[in-house]
Amino acid sequence: MAGELVLLDFWPSPFGMRSRIALAEKGIPYEYREEDLRNKSDLLLQMNPVHKKIPVLIHNGKPVCESVIQVQYIDEVWHDKAPLIPSDPYQRAVARFWVDFIDKKIYELGSKIWKTKGEEQANAKKEFIECLKLLEGELGDKTYFGGESLGYVDVALVPFYSWFYAYEKCGDFSIEAECPKMIAWVKRCMQKESVAKSLPDQEKVYEFILQLKKVFGIE
Amino acid sequence: MKWRTIFSSKTMGDDEVKVFGMWASPYSRRVELALKLKGIPYEYIEEDLSNKSALLIKHNPVHQKIPVLVHNGKSIPESLVILEYIDETWRNNPILLSQDPYDRAMARFWAKFIDEKILSTTRKVSFTTGKEQEHAIEEVTEQLKLLENEVKGKAYFGGEGIGYVDIVANFLVFWFGNLQEALGINIFSQHKFPFIFEWIQNQLKIDMVDECRIPKDKHLTYIQTKLAAFKSASK
């Protein structure tokens, strides 16, 4: 069942981190290959001709593209280890809804926070915090979004924590001050080896953002 | 708010199924199509999107959008989430998604591509003009070429019968053609995309697909009204 597993990835990508966490949670060995996004490999272009993006999970030579699809695939193939997605159809729908929400909101708003200034940035910060608060509401008193163990929503959201320091520095605000429950949840997740080992250091991500800002001519 | 009860004499256990939808929305129509294909009775509630009902907001507080499926009081928004829920809850034929993880991944990939690229770019085509519209038309044409290449030779996307991706792509059957006509553009034709065209013809053979037809004249008027409003607002 394991076969040959390769993950084409880029170290600061929160999307790549999702698949890393899912594989680590289930203890599945794989080959990690770092892509240079300014010089994409032939393998990447061949395996994801539609989007030409990372992450790409290659299982026995067959590609699975898009991080949310990869996490579901990993969960379905290795279903007997550390299940991430609930088995009840309604709970599954709730989890999918929130992952869809995270995909529609968090990355884009976060990007606006580090890319823009003035009113645009202020609006992005406000909406970003509102989204985190909605997610806090969904978490409630649970240990994780998945209940007592890491679930699909946890895996989809926690990678963005590695970008929080960059957002805070660029946006001059504190996420913990606004959303303490969110940070408490993050800290619980970070105690898990699968998460801690899959996320890069926040300062490294911030340095990377600063470099990107130079490249794009953003002050 | 208009109420329309479908199959009121037929019951499937004690299930109460409601759909909050909008007649011209391809997202709404695909949910109805899935329910009809599975023979699930439901109550349809037409929403006026310029004056959303308190019930809709209650059932979808986060996005306040249609469609929303309400099953025995439990609300499920987002059409792709709804389609998987329908397939997982009612396990009778047609089964919409394969049991094989790789086939499921491929189906989800193309459904996402259709929604996030083709449908999304088509909306851009509607609401832009000049060079911006030309660029959007080029973009959606390239996206349709990718889909054409994937559909190639298949009667239905997943295999022998209608399934998840076919239902997601249902907007190509009625909605897209009406939009082209209203805009006076020609992106999609049998000549340009013969495989997608044939795929659409296969879908049209199914009665339930025809039952989800968006009434053409009403739709053309609706699109033209929206375009006129958009044009006057952008002046």
Side-chain angles (χ1 to χ4, degrees):
Chain A
M1 197 151 63
E4 192 197 75
L5 206 50
V6 178
L7 181 68
L8 303 182
D9 202 347
F10 179 50
W11 68 270
S13 163
F15 306 103
M17 287 174 221
R18 291 167 168 176
S19 298
R20 291 174 226 167
I21 296 169
L23 290 165
E25 267 291 289
K26 291 171 185 275
I28 302 158
Y30 67 98
E31 186 194 336
Y32 177 95
R33 283 197 210 172
E34 189 69 32
E35 281 284 333
D36 176 357
L37 297 187
R38 294 158 301 179
N39 185 21
K40 292 175 182 178
S41 71
D42 288 340
L43 183 64
L44 173 58
L45 298 175
Q46 183 201 340
M47 289 287 146
N48 191 358
V50 173
H51 300 300
K52 304 177 175 60
K53 285 181 172 181
I54 58 90
V56 179
L57 186 72
I58 309 170
H59 188 204
N60 294 329
K62 295 196 293 190
V64 179
C65 305
E66 301 293 305
S67 65
V68 295
I69 296 174
Q70 284 163 14
V71 173
Q72 291 183 89
Y73 176 80
I74 291 164
D75 202 48
E76 287 169 12
V77 173
W78 292 277
H79 51 83
D80 47 349
K81 298 183 196 184
L84 297 169
I85 297 167
S87 45
D88 170 71
Y90 180 64
Q91 293 309 321
R92 287 160 78 86
V94 171
R96 285 181 179 136
F97 172 81
W98 286 105
V99 171
D100 176 74
F101 174 80
I102 291 161
D103 266 6
K104 283 182 163 110
K105 299 283 184 184
I106 303 297
Y107 184 72
E108 203 190 296
L109 289 169
S111 296
K112 278 193 186 161
I113 293 173
W114 70 262
K115 280 182 181 170
T116 67
K117 285 214 155 336
E119 203 182 326
E120 205 182 341
Q121 190 192 52
N123 288 337
K125 274 160 59 178
K126 183 168 170 277
E127 208 185 328
F128 181 79
I129 293 297
E130 278 166 9
C131 289
L132 289 186
K133 287 197 164 137
L134 272 172
L135 286 160
E136 279 184 326
E138 175 57 24
L139 177 66
D141 292 323
K142 301 197 291 282
T143 311
Y144 305 103
F145 286 91
E148 285 309 306
S149 55
L150 270 191
Y152 187 38
V153 180
D154 302 280
V155 172
L157 181 59
V158 80
F160 292 99
Y161 171 64
S162 62
W163 287 58
F164 277 9
Y165 180 67
Y167 297 154
E168 286 174 326
K169 291 289 276 185
C170 296
D172 187 28
F173 71 126
S174 161
I175 295 172
E176 186 161 13
E178 306 271 0
C179 304
K181 273 190 167 183
M182 176 90 351
I183 299 301
W185 161 79
V186 163
K187 288 183 176 161
R188 291 194 289 275
C189 291
M190 289 298 282
Q191 284 178 356
K192 305 204 102 216
E193 204 179 331
S194 58
V195 177
K197 289 204 163 165
S198 302
L199 266 56
D201 178 63
Q202 289 194 83
E203 296 237 16
K204 249 188 112 183
V205 173
Y206 178 51
E207 273 163 37
F208 168 71
I209 295 295
L210 289 178
Q211 273 175 33
L212 272 186
K213 282 170 81 133
K214 269 193 205 144
V215 166
F216 288 122
I218 307 165
E219 275 167 35
Chain B
M1 203 163 59
K2 289 184 201 150
W3 296 76
R4 171 159 51 99
T5 309
I6 317 286
F7 308 126
S8 55
S9 59
K10 216 172 136 191
T11 50
M12 219 154 172
D14 293 317
D15 278 333
E16 186 198 60
V17 181
K18 297 183 187 187
V19 174
F20 288 79
M22 193 267 169
W23 64 272
S25 158
Y27 305 100
S28 177
R29 289 283 172 172
R30 60 171 65 145
V31 169
E32 289 197 84
L33 177 57
L35 290 168
K36 284 181 195 284
L37 285 167
K38 293 231 183 214
I40 300 155
Y42 64 97
E43 194 171 340
Y44 177 81
I45 299 116
E46 180 70 37
E47 279 289 327
D48 174 359
L49 298 185
S50 61
N51 185 22
K52 291 172 182 178
S53 72
L55 259 184
L56 172 65
I57 294 169
K58 175 190 158 198
H59 286 300
N60 189 2
V62 174
H63 299 303
Q64 301 182 6
K65 284 183 174 183
I66 56 93
V68 182
L69 183 84
V70 183
H71 180 208
N72 296 333
K74 296 177 292 195
S75 334
I76 301 120
E78 294 301 307
S79 65
L80 296 187
V81 177
I82 296 171
L83 289 181
E84 290 213 36
Y85 176 81
I86 290 171
D87 200 37
E88 289 167 2
T89 303
W90 291 280
R91 296 301 293 158
N92 59 304
N93 282 332
I95 300 294
L96 304 180
L97 266 174
S98 161
Q99 289 298 294
D100 175 73
Y102 192 74
D103 290 341
R104 289 159 76 83
M106 288 302 102
R108 286 170 177 150
F109 176 85
W110 286 102
K112 206 165 188 261
F113 178 78
I114 286 166
D115 266 9
E116 289 176 8
K117 300 291 177 187
I118 301 178
L119 252 179
S120 168
T121 314
T122 306
R123 294 174 103 88
K124 240 199 278 178
V125 170
S126 311
F127 293 113
T128 53
T129 50
K131 278 261 171 258
E132 218 185 323
Q133 192 186 48
E134 268 174 46
H135 181 72
I137 290 173
E138 270 169 34
E139 214 183 319
V140 80
T141 306
E142 287 310 304
Q143 290 160 353
L144 283 168
K145 281 182 189 166
L146 286 165
L147 187 62
E148 171 84 1
N149 203 46
E150 192 60 27
V151 168
K152 207 184 296 197
K154 291 192 254 207
Y156 296 101
F157 199 90
E160 296 308 308
I162 191 167
Y164 181 67
V165 180
D166 309 291
I167 294 170
V168 171
N170 176 258
F171 75 95
L172 287 169
V173 181
F174 306 114
W175 186 86
F176 198 92
N178 294 345
L179 188 69
Q180 283 204 123
E181 197 174 314
L183 291 171
I185 51 175
N186 181 19
I187 300 171
F188 176 80
S189 68
Q190 180 179 11
H191 172 72
K192 286 187 196 172
F193 298 102
F195 290 122
I196 296 179
F197 184 83
E198 204 180 304
W199 182 33
I200 289 171
Q201 297 317 303
N202 283 327
Q203 287 211 37
L204 278 168
K205 290 175 194 163
I206 301 171
D207 287 341
M208 303 301 181
V209 170
D210 200 63
E211 275 185 42
C212 292
R213 177 184 291 270
I214 300 177
K216 186 171 176 178
D217 290 338
K218 191 178 172 193
H219 196 208
L220 289 176
T221 309
Y222 173 77
I223 297 168
Q224 275 145 6
T225 311
K226 279 195 102 177
L227 287 176
F230 163 70
K231 279 179 185 152
S232 65
S234 51
K235 272 180 193 157

